[in-house]
Amino acid sequence: MTTHDAAVPAPTGAAQRRGPFRTGERVQLTDPRGRLHTITLQPDASFHTHRGYLRHSELIGASEGVVVRNTSGIEYLALRPLLADHVLSMPRGAAVVYPKDAGQIVTMGDVFPGATVVEAGVGSGGLTLSLLRAVGDAGRLVSIERREDFAAIARGNVESFFGGPHPAWDLRLGDLADVLPTAAAPGSVDRVVLDMLAPWENLDAVATALAPGGVLICYVATTTQLSRLAEDLRSDGRYTEPEAWESMVRGWHLEGLAVRPQHRMVGHTGFLITARRLADGVEPPHRKRRPAKGSYPVAEDGAPATDTELWSPEAMGERETSAKKIRRVRRDLHVAPEDLGPQGPATAPPTD
């Protein structure tokens, strides 16, 4: 029989999930119609609707799971947002990886406690939260983001959720191909997660960093990206045969005997594709099943279609996040450019 050592510190963020509500904490209020309202507790603030208001001071120090009433007698159930709730309600610059996909990435990518994981394309930090939870304090997550404004937003969201910097997190600015060799020794990375427009451009850098048997898992938005990535994984020669899938979540209405699917569902958000790193010098087994006729497109003259025609940013559906939105989200998170620096901070790759 073992006993818990009281001297062992609690995992990062565990204290934020327990105890009474505190100033600065995010609280999820559920009204009688089931609508959710997320607020950040401040001593002198109030939550207002067209049907009265509720003072934050009534929640600060209260137990989680209490029911409070506003000035009009409307009752609200107060709970801490779950990780999935937090991701969908937190400030964002770039679109977040939905919780259903983050769960698939952690499980199907076999992200384990103590693992060394690299993610590229941090966005607003939604997937980062799940990866940090999975690797734990003893693991290491290297997050690489090209845009300083997205990195700043991600840092604000991660530190807000965990109550401060996470010891396993190493956030860096730059391109994956440039930063990864400086962040991890060859063959030392267990898992790589890519959420970017053209992940096939980084297959060489990823193969160098991954340990034999390591997992590459990519999140892409379109079938065009999915096709290009699968073909490049096959032609690279250092990866196993890729597998791809998507997940859809449909809720159910539960009321006595009236049990039926809800009219709305979380349908297509993106595709996931995985492959594993082969040992050096090993050739992947040859595919015995031949592709169907017409699987590979050709141009009007009958020649194979060029990369320029097939894989342009426009064809991939790339959309730019407006500068106005980025400024607003950074203002909401109180993140300024000067807040970035060694880690915690995002650091740019060294220059000559």
Side-chain angles (χ1 to χ4, degrees), residues 111-160:
V111 181
F112 56 90
T116 297
V117 179
V118 172
E119 70 160 337
V122 179
S124 299
L127 177 59
T128 306
L129 299 177
S130 293
L131 293 175
L132 286 171
R133 277 270 190 91
V135 302
D137 291 6
R140 184 185 182 212
L141 174 63
V142 180
S143 298
I144 303 171
E145 173 57 53
R146 293 191 306 172
R147 295 183 50 163
E148 181 275 334
D149 47 5
F150 284 178
I153 291 170
R155 179 170 301 289
N157 283 324
V158 169
E159 295 187 355
S160 172

Side-chain angles (χ1 to χ4, degrees), residues 14-281:
Q16 317 318 122
R17 313 304 298 165
R18 302 188 179 110
F21 291 129
R22 307 170 184 87
T23 299
E25 189 170 12
R26 293 166 68 86
V27 174
Q28 184 173 272
L29 302 176
T30 306
D31 67 18
R33 293 190 177 184
R35 292 174 297 196
L36 304 179
H37 311 269
T38 302
I39 62 175
T40 301
L41 296 181
Q42 299 297 335
D44 300 325
S46 300
F47 167 64
H48 288 262
T49 71
H50 67 288
R51 301 184 64 186
Y53 65 91
L54 171 69
R55 298 185 187 279
H56 290 195
S57 58
E58 296 183 36
L59 287 168
I60 297 174
S63 171
E64 185 175 7
V66 298
V67 174
V68 291
R69 294 179 176 82
N70 72 0
T71 52
S72 298
I74 306 298
E75 294 185 333
Y76 293 91
L77 172 63
L79 293 166
R80 289 187 174 90
L82 300 177
L83 175 57
D85 300 320
H86 182 88
V87 167
L88 295 178
S89 65
M90 69 187 190
R92 65 181 73 172
V96 297
V97 174
Y98 264 66
K100 71 180 184 67
D101 297 317
Q104 292 272 306
I105 289 170
V106 168
T107 302
M108 302 303 288
D110 189 32
V111 181
F112 56 90
T116 297
V117 179
V118 172
E119 70 160 337
V122 179
S124 299
L127 177 59
T128 306
L129 299 177
S130 293
L131 293 175
L132 286 171
R133 277 270 190 91
V135 302
D137 291 6
R140 184 185 182 212
L141 174 63
V142 180
S143 298
I144 303 171
E145 173 57 53
R146 293 191 306 172
R147 295 183 50 163
E148 181 275 334
D149 47 5
F150 284 178
I153 291 170
R155 179 170 301 289
N157 283 324
V158 169
E159 295 187 355
S160 172
F161 183 79
F162 286 106
H166 196 290
W169 197 30
D170 182 1
L171 175 60
R172 302 192 181 206
L173 288 174
D175 290 323
L176 174 65
D178 298 327
V179 177
L180 184 52
T182 70
S188 65
V189 176
D190 299 303
R191 307 290 184 259
V192 174
V193 184
L194 301 183
D195 175 14
M196 56 177 59
L197 180 67
W200 50 85
E201 295 177 351
N202 296 286
L203 293 183
D204 181 65
V206 169
T208 300
L210 273 176
V215 178
L216 166 64
I217 183 163
C218 301
Y219 179 82
V220 295
T222 69
T223 55
T224 314
Q225 293 169 293
L226 190 64
S227 172
R228 170 67 183 269
L229 180 56
E231 293 308 311
D232 281 22
L233 283 166
R234 291 186 178 113
S235 62
D236 181 278
R238 289 173 288 181
Y239 297 92
T240 60
E241 177 68 13
E243 299 181 3
W245 73 97
E246 66 175 330
S247 63
M248 302 181 184
V249 176
R250 181 174 67 176
W252 279 69
H253 172 85
L254 303 173
E255 195 69 48
L257 296 179
V259 178
R260 62 178 183 272
Q262 293 178 356
H263 299 303
R264 300 178 62 185
M265 67 179 293
V266 182
H268 174 74
T269 50
F271 299 102
L272 293 170
I273 180 169
T274 62
R276 300 189 69 176
R277 176 69 159 93
L278 295 169
D280 289 335

